[in-house]
């Protein structure tokens, strides 16, 4: 493994680890606040128990997310000094605002954790809600920086130097709205289904059935609403990618030749050597419709770009198919959830489906970030700076990668053990009561 590959692998592994906890950190406080709200409105003790159970999970996962997010900040400078040299003066503002949002989140979670019996009930509830709001705002600022890498703005690039820098224009770049919307919905969807699946599993096992049924309903309302909105968000994102990053769209669709009435391929394996799609199901004109709203519209193919500027087509296409396939499956489950919620009864076979779907949202998030990051290659700043020109000249990056894999694996094991232990303690307490 050369140093460039090792640096990219380290960043990918760190980001892939952190994004799970970032999604949980953005969403779980809203679930916790919903349960707390229902307790304050109804006085039902089970909602109080559920609030405190989720609160402890939020505290554990917040700590892990904070650690892994801090590491990512250092890695940007250590692994990609070429990127920070050019990008730092331009896109530093959203990182500073993200730090502010994180500070508010940390204060709010402290107030909520230690505010029981010390604050007025609705004020205490408000601090928990602030945890979720500030977490969402934090994610929006980070996504502004990532969107800038996909759609650079706020500067003029003259002879390899950025001039006329406008940090506000850089932060509010063209890709920011659709990327932010898509990721925030993905977080709600993934965490809602994951939490709903865990509680559906506990319900099927006969553990604290009333509490777990209530918990499943709360989580799935968030997840199901997001799952139904996500295809709309994905369509908007696809149109913007077609406009801002046509090479990425061509790679994720395996679209090699520029054409009108461009087909949308379901499944399939792209072959870069023969520049063909194998075994896929092609729907004529549908890609033109999705990209430009017109079946006769021309969709730019990879043939319009130099070969050295192609993203890795196979990885990008497969990751995109995984993301879309999971998204559609979860949307169908969301329809089923609302159907059975209206009926007032959840059959066991449907609850088993929810249990099976527990990890799917997280898999879709990981696949989506592969599409975003791998699909931008070979650029770290799209059409401005190549990834290979931004990597550190320091040798031995492979050892850095191995170290982080070991550390993060250990952290994941400890986190899962703590989380599982907390669930077992709470469920045993409720079973005994």
């Amino acid at each position: 493994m050369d140093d460039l590959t090792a640096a990219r692998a380290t960043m990918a592994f760190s980001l892939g680890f952190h994004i799970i906890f970032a999604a949980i950190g953005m969403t779980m406080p809203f679930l916790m606040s919903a349960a707390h709200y229902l307790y304050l409105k109804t006085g039902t003790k089970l909602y109080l128990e559920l609030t405190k159970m989720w609160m402890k999970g939020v505290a554990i996962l917040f700590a892990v997310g904070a650690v892994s997010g801090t590491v990512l900040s250092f890695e940007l400078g250590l692994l990609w000094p070429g990127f920070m040299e050019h990008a730092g003066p331009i896109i530093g503002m959203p990182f500073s605002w993200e730090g502010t949002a994180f500070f508010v989140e940390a204060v709010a979670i402290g107030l909520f954790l230690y505010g029981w019996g010390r604050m007025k009930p609705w004020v205490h509830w408000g601090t928990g809600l602030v945890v979720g709001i500030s977490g969402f705002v934090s994610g929006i600022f980070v996504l502004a920086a990532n969107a800038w890498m996909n759609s650079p703005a706020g500067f003029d690039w003259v002879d390899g130097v950025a001039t006329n820098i406008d940090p506000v224009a850089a932060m509010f770049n063209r890709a920011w709205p659709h990327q932010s919307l898509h990721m925030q919905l993905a977080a709600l969807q993934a965490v809602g289904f994951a939490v709903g699946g865990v509680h559906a599993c506990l319900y099927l096992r006969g553990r604290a059935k009333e509490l777990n049924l209530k918990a499943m309903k709360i989580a799935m309302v968030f997840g199901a609403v997001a799952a139904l909105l996500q295809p709309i968000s994905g369509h908007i994102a696809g149109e913007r990618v077609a406009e801002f990053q046509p090479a990425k769209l061509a790679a994720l669709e395996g679209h090699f030749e520029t054409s009108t009435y461009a087909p949308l391929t379901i499944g399939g394996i792209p072959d870069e050597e023969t520049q063909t799609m194998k075994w896929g199901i092609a729907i004529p004109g549908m890609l033109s419709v999705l990209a430009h709203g017109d079946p006769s519209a021309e969709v730019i193919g990879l043939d319009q770009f130099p070969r050295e500027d192609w993203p890795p087509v196979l990885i990008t296409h497969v990751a995109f198919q995984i993301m879309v396939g999971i998204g559609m499956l979860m949307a169908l489950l969301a329809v089923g959830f609302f159907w059975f919620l209206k009926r007032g009864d959840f059959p066991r076979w449907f609850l088993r489906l929810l249990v099976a779907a527990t990890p799917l949202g997280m898999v879709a998030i990981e696949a989506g970030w592969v599409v975003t990051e791998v699909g931008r290659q070979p650029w770290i700043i799209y059409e401005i700076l190549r990834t290979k020109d931004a990597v550190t000249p320091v040798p031995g990056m492979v050892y850095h990668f191995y170290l982080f894999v070991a550390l993060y694996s250990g952290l994941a094991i400890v986190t899962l053990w703590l989380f599982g232990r907390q669930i077992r303690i709470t469920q045993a307490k409720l079973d005994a009561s």
Side-chain angles (χ1 to χ4, degrees):
M1 186 185 298
D2 60 30
D3 287 332
L4 174 60
T5 303
R8 289 184 62 189
T10 302
M11 198 73 190
F13 186 82
S14 302
L15 179 59
F17 183 91
H18 174 69
I19 198 170
I20 298 299
F21 294 96
I24 295 171
M26 287 190 293
T27 302
M28 278 301 300
F30 288 115
L31 273 61
M32 176 186 73
S33 295
H36 194 189
Y37 174 85
L38 291 170
Y39 165 67
L40 293 175
K41 290 293 289 186
T42 66
T44 303
K45 292 293 184 181
L46 282 177
Y47 286 125
L48 177 61
E49 293 291 343
L50 181 56
T51 301
K52 292 186 175 181
M53 181 176 69
W54 280 347
M55 175 191 72
K56 293 171 184 176
V58 167
I60 293 169
L61 297 171
F62 173 82
V64 178
V67 170
S68 58
T70 302
V71 169
L72 277 172
S73 301
F74 285 112
E75 284 183 340
L76 280 174
L78 293 172
L79 300 179
W80 310 105
F83 170 76
M84 294 305 295
E85 177 186 357
H86 297 293
I90 306 171
I91 202 64
M93 189 168 71
F95 286 115
S96 63
W97 280 107
E98 188 273 338
T100 303
F102 175 77
F103 174 78
V104 172
E105 184 181 7
V107 171
I109 198 171
L111 290 172
F112 189 79
L113 286 172
Y114 298 105
W116 294 97
R118 297 181 176 89
M119 304 170 70
K120 291 183 178 180
W122 284 106
V123 174
H124 184 224
W125 173 80
T127 64
L129 187 62
V130 168
V131 176
I133 293 172
S134 55
F136 249 63
V137 171
S138 177
I140 288 172
F141 286 133
V142 170
L143 286 163
N146 183 264
W148 177 84
M149 297 165 70
N150 292 317
S151 182
F155 65 97
D156 295 323
W157 192 252
V158 181
D159 298 327
V161 178
T163 60
N164 300 324
I165 294 172
D166 183 348
V168 175
M171 179 172 167
F172 297 106
N173 57 81
R174 299 181 302 171
W176 169 69
H178 73 263
Q179 267 198 229
S180 180
L181 175 64
H182 198 55
M183 180 59 214
Q184 307 298 54
L185 285 175
L188 288 167
Q189 177 181 350
V191 177
F193 270 81
V195 175
V198 168
H199 286 286
C201 179
L202 293 169
Y203 176 85
L204 289 171
R205 292 182 178 180
R207 305 294 301 275
K209 296 186 71 169
E210 187 177 355
L211 177 137
N212 284 307
L213 185 61
K214 291 181 183 297
M216 186 273 291
K217 289 179 180 179
I218 293 172
M220 282 301 301
V221 165
F222 281 88
V225 170
L228 293 174
L229 293 175
Q230 191 66 290
I232 301 172
S233 167
H235 175 61
I236 295 171
E239 291 180 323
R240 300 290 82 80
V241 169
E243 181 181 356
F244 307 148
Q245 294 178 288
K248 177 186 285 187
L249 178 72
L252 60 88
E253 293 290 354
H255 186 59
F256 290 98
E257 295 184 8
T258 302
S259 63
T260 58
Y261 296 96
L264 176 72
T265 304
I266 300 174
I269 301 295
D271 187 330
E272 294 187 47
E273 295 303 318
T274 62
Q275 299 187 20
T276 58
M277 284 289 294
K278 298 180 177 178
W279 306 304
I281 301 173
I283 305 175
M286 187 55 68
L287 181 56
S288 294
V289 171
L290 294 177
H292 303 293
D294 180 358
S296 64
E298 181 180 79
V299 179
I300 297 173
L302 289 167
D303 59 345
Q304 298 298 306
F305 302 93
R307 189 65 178 264
E308 63 270 19
D309 290 348
W310 286 17
V313 180
L314 177 61
I315 296 174
T316 307
H317 175 74
V318 171
F320 179 70
Q321 294 290 311
I322 291 172
M323 179 186 69
V324 172
I326 290 176
M328 297 308 295
L329 176 60
M330 294 176 79
L332 290 174
L333 288 173
V335 172
F337 168 76
F338 284 120
W339 171 261
F340 292 119
L341 181 65
K342 184 178 180 180
R343 278 187 20 177
D345 176 56
F346 291 90
R348 294 182 69 85
W349 64 265
F350 183 76
L351 293 177
R352 292 191 183 98
L353 286 178
L354 292 184
V355 174
T358 298
L360 291 184
M362 298 303 179
V363 174
I365 284 180
E366 298 287 6
W369 274 101
V370 170
V371 170
T372 299
E373 297 301 298
V374 176
R376 190 181 60 246
Q377 299 306 313
W379 309 99
I380 193 169
I381 305 175
Y382 188 62
E383 294 188 331
I384 296 291
L385 180 66
R386 292 181 183 271
T387 305
K388 67 179 182 180
D389 297 327
V391 71
T392 177
V394 177
M397 286 297 103
V398 66
Y399 302 110
H400 187 92
F401 171 65
Y402 293 149
L403 175 63
F404 269 77
V405 169
L407 288 174
Y408 275 29
S409 297
L411 183 59
I413 291 169
V414 171
T415 302
L416 289 172
W417 178 80
L418 284 173
F419 202 61
R421 179 177 178 271
Q422 189 57 53
I423 291 175
R424 288 193 298 272
I425 291 174
T426 303
Q427 294 297 315
K429 175 184 174 183
L430 291 169
D431 288 341
S433 63

PDB file of all heavy atoms in Angstrom, residues 165-177:
ATOM      1  N   ILE A 165     -10.928  36.112  -2.094  1.00  0.00           N
ATOM      2  CA  ILE A 165     -11.610  35.126  -1.254  1.00  0.00           C
ATOM      3  C   ILE A 165     -12.832  35.736  -0.577  1.00  0.00           C
ATOM      4  O   ILE A 165     -12.771  36.826  -0.006  1.00  0.00           O
ATOM      5  CB  ILE A 165     -10.632  34.566  -0.205  1.00  0.00           C
ATOM      6  CG1 ILE A 165      -9.522  33.764  -0.899  1.00  0.00           C
ATOM      7  CG2 ILE A 165     -11.361  33.698   0.812  1.00  0.00           C
ATOM      8  CD1 ILE A 165      -8.406  33.335   0.027  1.00  0.00           C
ATOM      9  N   ASP A 166     -13.948  35.006  -0.655  1.00  0.00           N
ATOM     10  CA  ASP A 166     -15.200  35.392  -0.004  1.00  0.00           C
ATOM     11  C   ASP A 166     -15.687  34.192   0.809  1.00  0.00           C
ATOM     12  O   ASP A 166     -16.347  33.300   0.283  1.00  0.00           O
ATOM     13  CB  ASP A 166     -16.238  35.782  -1.059  1.00  0.00           C
ATOM     14  CG  ASP A 166     -17.547  36.260  -0.444  1.00  0.00           C
ATOM     15  OD1 ASP A 166     -17.739  36.084   0.771  1.00  0.00           O
ATOM     16  OD2 ASP A 166     -18.402  36.792  -1.193  1.00  0.00           O
ATOM     17  N   PRO A 167     -15.375  34.141   2.116  1.00  0.00           N
ATOM     18  CA  PRO A 167     -15.739  32.967   2.936  1.00  0.00           C
ATOM     19  C   PRO A 167     -17.240  32.708   2.995  1.00  0.00           C
ATOM     20  O   PRO A 167     -17.664  31.553   3.101  1.00  0.00           O
ATOM     21  CB  PRO A 167     -15.186  33.322   4.317  1.00  0.00           C
ATOM     22  CG  PRO A 167     -14.125  34.337   4.069  1.00  0.00           C
ATOM     23  CD  PRO A 167     -14.602  35.126   2.887  1.00  0.00           C
ATOM     24  N   VAL A 168     -18.055  33.761   2.935  1.00  0.00           N
ATOM     25  CA  VAL A 168     -19.505  33.572   2.995  1.00  0.00           C
ATOM     26  C   VAL A 168     -19.998  32.859   1.737  1.00  0.00           C
ATOM     27  O   VAL A 168     -20.789  31.909   1.802  1.00  0.00           O
ATOM     28  CB  VAL A 168     -20.231  34.919   3.173  1.00  0.00           C
ATOM     29  CG1 VAL A 168     -21.745  34.721   3.116  1.00  0.00           C
ATOM     30  CG2 VAL A 168     -19.830  35.564   4.497  1.00  0.00           C
ATOM     31  N   ALA A 169     -19.517  33.301   0.571  1.00  0.00           N
ATOM     32  CA  ALA A 169     -19.892  32.639  -0.680  1.00  0.00           C
ATOM     33  C   ALA A 169     -19.383  31.203  -0.714  1.00  0.00           C
ATOM     34  O   ALA A 169     -20.043  30.311  -1.262  1.00  0.00           O
ATOM     35  CB  ALA A 169     -19.347  33.415  -1.877  1.00  0.00           C
ATOM     36  N   ALA A 170     -18.213  30.974  -0.132  1.00  0.00           N
ATOM     37  CA  ALA A 170     -17.676  29.612  -0.082  1.00  0.00           C
ATOM     38  C   ALA A 170     -18.552  28.717   0.783  1.00  0.00           C
ATOM     39  O   ALA A 170     -18.867  27.575   0.411  1.00  0.00           O
ATOM     40  CB  ALA A 170     -16.249  29.639   0.459  1.00  0.00           C
ATOM     41  N   MET A 171     -18.959  29.228   1.930  1.00  0.00           N
ATOM     42  CA  MET A 171     -19.765  28.439   2.847  1.00  0.00           C
ATOM     43  C   MET A 171     -21.131  28.111   2.241  1.00  0.00           C
ATOM     44  O   MET A 171     -21.589  26.960   2.295  1.00  0.00           O
ATOM     45  CB  MET A 171     -19.938  29.187   4.161  1.00  0.00           C
ATOM     46  CG  MET A 171     -20.787  28.474   5.188  1.00  0.00           C
ATOM     47  SD  MET A 171     -20.724  29.340   6.761  1.00  0.00           S
ATOM     48  CE  MET A 171     -22.078  28.544   7.618  1.00  0.00           C
ATOM     49  N   PHE A 172     -21.773  29.097   1.649  1.00  0.00           N
ATOM     50  CA  PHE A 172     -23.096  28.882   1.070  1.00  0.00           C
ATOM     51  C   PHE A 172     -22.978  28.587  -0.425  1.00  0.00           C
ATOM     52  O   PHE A 172     -23.574  29.267  -1.264  1.00  0.00           O
ATOM     53  CB  PHE A 172     -23.989  30.098   1.329  1.00  0.00           C
ATOM     54  CG  PHE A 172     -24.243  30.346   2.784  1.00  0.00           C
ATOM     55  CD1 PHE A 172     -23.620  31.390   3.449  1.00  0.00           C
ATOM     56  CD2 PHE A 172     -25.090  29.517   3.502  1.00  0.00           C
ATOM     57  CE1 PHE A 172     -23.840  31.608   4.799  1.00  0.00           C
ATOM     58  CE2 PHE A 172     -25.322  29.722   4.856  1.00  0.00           C
ATOM     59  CZ  PHE A 172     -24.691  30.768   5.509  1.00  0.00           C
ATOM     60  N   ASN A 173     -22.205  27.551  -0.728  1.00  0.00           N
ATOM     61  CA  ASN A 173     -21.980  27.164  -2.117  1.00  0.00           C
ATOM     62  C   ASN A 173     -23.198  26.446  -2.685  1.00  0.00           C
ATOM     63  O   ASN A 173     -24.138  26.097  -1.960  1.00  0.00           O
ATOM     64  CB  ASN A 173     -20.733  26.277  -2.210  1.00  0.00           C
ATOM     65  CG  ASN A 173     -20.846  25.052  -1.323  1.00  0.00           C
ATOM     66  OD1 ASN A 173     -21.477  24.061  -1.678  1.00  0.00           O
ATOM     67  ND2 ASN A 173     -20.259  25.126  -0.127  1.00  0.00           N
ATOM     68  N   ARG A 174     -23.170  26.185  -3.986  1.00  0.00           N
ATOM     69  CA  ARG A 174     -24.344  25.645  -4.671  1.00  0.00           C
ATOM     70  C   ARG A 174     -24.708  24.234  -4.219  1.00  0.00           C
ATOM     71  O   ARG A 174     -25.878  23.840  -4.277  1.00  0.00           O
ATOM     72  CB  ARG A 174     -24.108  25.638  -6.183  1.00  0.00           C
ATOM     73  CG  ARG A 174     -23.872  27.004  -6.792  1.00  0.00           C
ATOM     74  CD  ARG A 174     -23.675  26.884  -8.294  1.00  0.00           C
ATOM     75  NE  ARG A 174     -22.554  26.014  -8.631  1.00  0.00           N
ATOM     76  CZ  ARG A 174     -22.266  25.597  -9.867  1.00  0.00           C
ATOM     77  NH1 ARG A 174     -23.045  25.959 -10.881  1.00  0.00           N
ATOM     78  NH2 ARG A 174     -21.225  24.822 -10.088  1.00  0.00           N
ATOM     79  N   ALA A 175     -23.724  23.457  -3.790  1.00  0.00           N
ATOM     80  CA  ALA A 175     -23.998  22.066  -3.418  1.00  0.00           C
ATOM     81  C   ALA A 175     -24.467  21.922  -1.978  1.00  0.00           C
ATOM     82  O   ALA A 175     -24.957  20.858  -1.594  1.00  0.00           O
ATOM     83  CB  ALA A 175     -22.744  21.215  -3.638  1.00  0.00           C
ATOM     84  N   TRP A 176     -24.315  22.987  -1.194  1.00  0.00           N
ATOM     85  CA  TRP A 176     -24.619  22.888   0.235  1.00  0.00           C
ATOM     86  C   TRP A 176     -26.080  22.545   0.530  1.00  0.00           C
ATOM     87  O   TRP A 176     -26.337  21.658   1.349  1.00  0.00           O
ATOM     88  CB  TRP A 176     -24.205  24.185   0.933  1.00  0.00           C
ATOM     89  CG  TRP A 176     -24.702  24.291   2.329  1.00  0.00           C
ATOM     90  CD1 TRP A 176     -24.299  23.559   3.404  1.00  0.00           C
ATOM     91  CD2 TRP A 176     -25.726  25.167   2.800  1.00  0.00           C
ATOM     92  NE1 TRP A 176     -24.991  23.942   4.523  1.00  0.00           N
ATOM     93  CE2 TRP A 176     -25.874  24.918   4.175  1.00  0.00           C
ATOM     94  CE3 TRP A 176     -26.515  26.143   2.200  1.00  0.00           C
ATOM     95  CZ2 TRP A 176     -26.789  25.611   4.962  1.00  0.00           C
ATOM     96  CZ3 TRP A 176     -27.433  26.834   2.978  1.00  0.00           C
ATOM     97  CH2 TRP A 176     -27.562  26.564   4.341  1.00  0.00           C
ATOM     98  N   PRO A 177     -27.075  23.189  -0.102  1.00  0.00           N
ATOM     99  CA  PRO A 177     -28.467  22.889   0.291  1.00  0.00           C
ATOM    100  C   PRO A 177     -28.859  21.435   0.081  1.00  0.00           C
ATOM    101  O   PRO A 177     -29.414  20.797   0.989  1.00  0.00           O
ATOM    102  CB  PRO A 177     -29.293  23.840  -0.596  1.00  0.00           C
ATOM    103  CG  PRO A 177     -28.357  24.946  -0.958  1.00  0.00           C
ATOM    104  CD  PRO A 177     -27.027  24.292  -1.079  1.00  0.00           C
TER     105      PRO A 177
END
